[in-house]
Amino acid sequence: MRALAEFIMRGRTQATLVVAGAAALPMMFWLSAAAGSLVLLRRGMNDAVGILAWALLPALGWWYFGEPRTLLVLLGSLGLALVLRSSVSWTRVLMVSVALGLLFSVVLGAVFREPIMAMAGELQKLLPQVMGGVHPQLSEDERARLDAMIAPVLTGLIAALLQLLCVLSLTLGRYWQAALYNPGGFGREIRALRLPPALSFGLLAAMLLGPNLGLELAMLTPICSVPLAFAGLALIHGLVKQGGLAGFWLVGLYVSLLLFMQLIYPLLVVLAIVDSLIDFRGRQARKNGPGPANGEG
């Protein structure tokens, strides 16, 4: 991957080839977004706009044929890259990603409403099988409310997935930038990420209260979970580094996340919320002390 980053930063022609070429290929939009983020982070908007404009052409083509992911993830990643470049704050990036997820949900609901409603209708037919004996015990009002929530939640899930892809694409671009120009800097940034208590509990409140304030606000639950899950991953990375543990533990974490998403993802959210109050990494650092050099050298 480092070799690819070096190729991208070799010149405008090489960067345009990767950014636009990846956007034109099926299922490679994430690579285009990551490469575009690298160019924007390193060169700034004024110098990168000519390169990024070429990626918009295939992205608009995919949109025309009913594939919104390329354009949304590309623009979303570049927007987050601008935030990171100006603020150097992953906390701010994650908060902006929530607004980005909400924007995605509005766009999806307006432009792709019919496909989403068709998917919601198919899921509605499967609910009795999925819920088993619980579904017949629900009252008519409860069933109607549950059915009405399917479309907003589905829209929120799709928007949250696009939001997560934007954050991950930016993460890859930032990793490339650090590997080329600031070795070790990316790891320090990510391991230091910790959401303030006010933000963590604000996101938690939106996740829990959104569905009760209105059916359309049910989409807040998946969208607001993304920053918390990302902060939970940062916490695990920080604890593994502080504990001097082997990278095997991180490999196990991501394998478990893929295999047991329903269990590990909520656990990461809970860990991020608790860490915002307790600061596990700060406590561990104070417990370990300054080391044998007593803070010098």
Side-chain angles (χ1 to χ4, degrees):
M1 296 297 280
R2 180 188 172 93
L4 179 58
E6 291 175 344
F7 178 79
I8 294 170
M9 298 308 298
R10 193 172 298 167
R12 296 181 65 86
T13 301
Q14 291 85 347
T16 302
L17 179 63
V18 175
V19 175
L25 293 174
M27 302 303 295
M28 296 299 290
F29 56 87
W30 58 271
L31 180 59
S32 175
S37 297
L38 169 62
V39 174
L40 182 56
L41 287 170
R42 181 62 182 172
R43 297 183 176 178
M45 177 57 79
N46 291 335
D47 193 29
V49 65
I51 297 171
L52 301 176
W54 284 102
L56 293 178
L57 296 178
L60 289 171
W62 282 114
W63 180 282
Y64 177 78
F65 288 106
E67 171 54 82
R69 291 177 296 179
T70 303
L71 183 62
L72 293 180
V73 172
L74 178 61
L75 293 179
S77 300
L78 296 178
L80 295 181
L82 284 174
V83 174
L84 183 59
R85 177 179 169 85
S86 62
S87 67
V88 198
S89 170
W90 279 97
T91 298
R92 185 167 297 180
V93 167
L94 293 178
M95 291 302 102
V96 173
S97 79
V98 174
L100 192 63
L102 292 173
L103 178 60
F104 287 164
S105 65
V106 172
V107 173
L108 291 171
V111 182
F112 299 95
R113 182 175 181 82
E114 291 185 5
I116 291 175
M117 293 303 295
M119 294 173 61
E122 294 300 321
L123 290 175
Q124 184 177 340
K125 297 176 183 178
L126 295 175
L127 275 182
Q129 301 177 19
V130 174
M131 299 181 65
V134 177
H135 192 269
Q137 299 176 9
L138 298 177
S139 65
E140 290 296 329
D141 291 341
E142 290 173 334
R143 292 183 188 179
R145 178 177 174 80
L146 183 61
D147 292 341
M149 285 182 61
I150 294 178
V153 170
L154 182 59
T155 303
L157 285 172
I158 298 173
L161 179 59
L162 295 174
Q163 171 193 356
L164 180 59
L165 287 172
C166 291
V167 175
L168 293 179
S169 297
L170 173 62
T171 301
L172 179 57
R174 187 64 161 183
Y175 167 76
W176 281 340
Q177 183 190 24
L180 294 178
Y181 308 107
N182 183 26
F186 173 76
R188 289 190 294 270
E189 281 185 1
I190 294 299
R191 290 191 294 268
L193 173 62
R194 173 174 167 264
L195 297 180
L199 291 180
S200 294
F201 282 91
L203 292 171
L204 178 62
M207 291 171 59
L208 298 179
L209 298 179
N212 295 320
L213 296 177
L215 294 178
E216 292 298 327
L217 295 180
M219 65 181 63
L220 286 174
T221 300
I223 291 173
C224 291
S225 71
V226 172
L228 292 170
F230 196 85
L233 287 174
L235 168 63
I236 301 298
H237 276 263
L239 293 177
V240 168
K241 180 68 174 181
Q242 284 186 338
L245 301 178
F248 166 80
W249 293 97
L250 294 177
V251 174
L253 168 65
Y254 286 103
V255 171
S256 300
L257 183 58
L258 291 175
L259 296 178
F260 309 104
M261 176 73 74
Q262 297 88 342
L263 176 63
I264 304 300
Y265 190 89
L267 180 60
L268 291 173
V269 171
V270 172
L271 284 175
I273 295 171
V274 176
D275 181 57
S276 69
L277 292 174
I278 297 179
D279 189 9
F280 292 110
R281 286 157 290 186
R283 287 173 176 263
Q284 184 68 24
R286 290 190 293 271
K287 181 179 178 181
N288 292 338
N294 293 323
E296 300 179 1

